[in-house]
Amino acid sequence: MTAPAWQADPYTDALRSGRGPLFLRRPDGWLLPLEVERWCAAPDAADLTVLERCRGTVLDIGCGPGRLVAALAALGRPTLGIDVSPEAVARTVRTGGSALHRSVFDPLPREGSWGTALLIDGNIGIGGDPRALLARVTQLVADDGVLLAETSPLDVDERVQVRVFDGGSAQGSAFPWARVGTPALLDYARSAGWATDEADQWMVAGRTFVALRRA
């Protein structure tokens, strides 16, 4: 059974149940586990280090089920999530956040004025072209805006076609994705208009992050 990427079974089923298993699957059979249970839970210690670095209005790109959007809203921080999955948007709204069913490459509210943009949970992979994604985010944030991105803990720079897969018989359609470690992210960011010389880098519980500012 094949369904549209991120928009129907098995991804929708996983978000509705709040649990996996769920994977991104390459054509060669390699599987990248997706941490559905963590995404559907409250922010963990690593997430909190991201939240404390947010400033101004926040745009969560690929917000998923909305744990970060809801947490920021509870703190009184003006925040909007965007996601291509209708179920992700619906779950974000149910948990108290604001979200729109949009791609980051669609026209978005307040372009050029967001204080912080988030690319967490591997979302630097959106579209399979990190340089194009980072260039798009420069159009979204203010001149003094910040990008908080989660990178792969491995030194990797990979562009692949993947499918969302439940480990059994259900999978979505193929779509482009990227995995990017911190060194590769900094290279792409530099060419896309982000300052990297004093980039804030940190690791918590095996997860790695970078904070970038406009050049």
Side-chain angles (χ1 to χ4, degrees), residues 33-209:
L34 300 178
E35 299 181 77
V36 177
E37 290 86 352
R38 179 173 64 78
W39 297 350
C40 291
D44 62 15
D47 294 328
L48 293 178
T49 67
V50 173
L51 298 182
E52 69 187 12
R53 286 171 167 83
C54 292
R55 65 187 195 189
T57 56
V58 182
L59 179 67
D60 188 356
I61 299 165
C63 65
R67 74 185 187 284
L68 301 182
V69 177
L72 287 165
L75 295 172
R77 176 82 68 181
T79 306
L80 177 68
I82 59 170
D83 205 287
V84 296
S85 163
E87 179 59 29
V89 171
R91 182 157 181 153
T92 299
V93 172
R94 288 198 300 270
T95 58
S98 297
L100 293 176
H101 180 209
R102 303 275 178 88
S103 162
V104 64
F105 298 105
D106 292 336
L108 295 173
R110 305 184 64 172
E111 292 203 14
S113 67
W114 293 97
T116 303
L118 303 180
L119 286 170
I120 307 301
D121 299 328
N123 285 335
I124 188 63
I126 289 172
D129 186 343
R131 183 179 286 108
L133 177 59
L134 290 166
R136 172 57 175 150
V137 179
T138 65
Q139 300 172 344
L140 299 174
V141 301
D143 289 342
D144 60 349
V146 176
L147 169 62
L148 305 179
E150 182 170 358
T151 61
S152 171
L154 304 175
D155 186 3
V156 62
D157 185 5
E158 177 182 65
R159 303 185 190 194
V160 291
Q161 291 285 318
V162 295
R163 299 173 185 266
V164 179
F165 174 59
D166 70 354
S169 60
Q171 64 180 2
S173 59
F175 61 97
W177 195 251
R179 289 198 305 147
V180 180
T182 297
L185 172 68
L186 294 177
D187 285 342
Y188 289 129
R190 192 176 300 112
S191 65
W194 295 93
T196 61
D197 292 342
E198 298 181 2
D200 182 13
Q201 304 175 43
W202 71 102
M203 175 183 285
V204 180
R207 295 170 62 194
T208 54
F209 304 90

Side-chain angles (χ1 to χ4, degrees), residues 6-29:
W6 303 114
Q7 298 188 36
D9 300 334
Y11 183 61
T12 296
D13 285 346
L15 290 190
R16 286 175 178 164
S17 67
R19 62 181 184 273
L22 199 66
F23 308 89
L24 292 183
R25 182 182 190 182
R26 288 192 319 215
D28 64 3

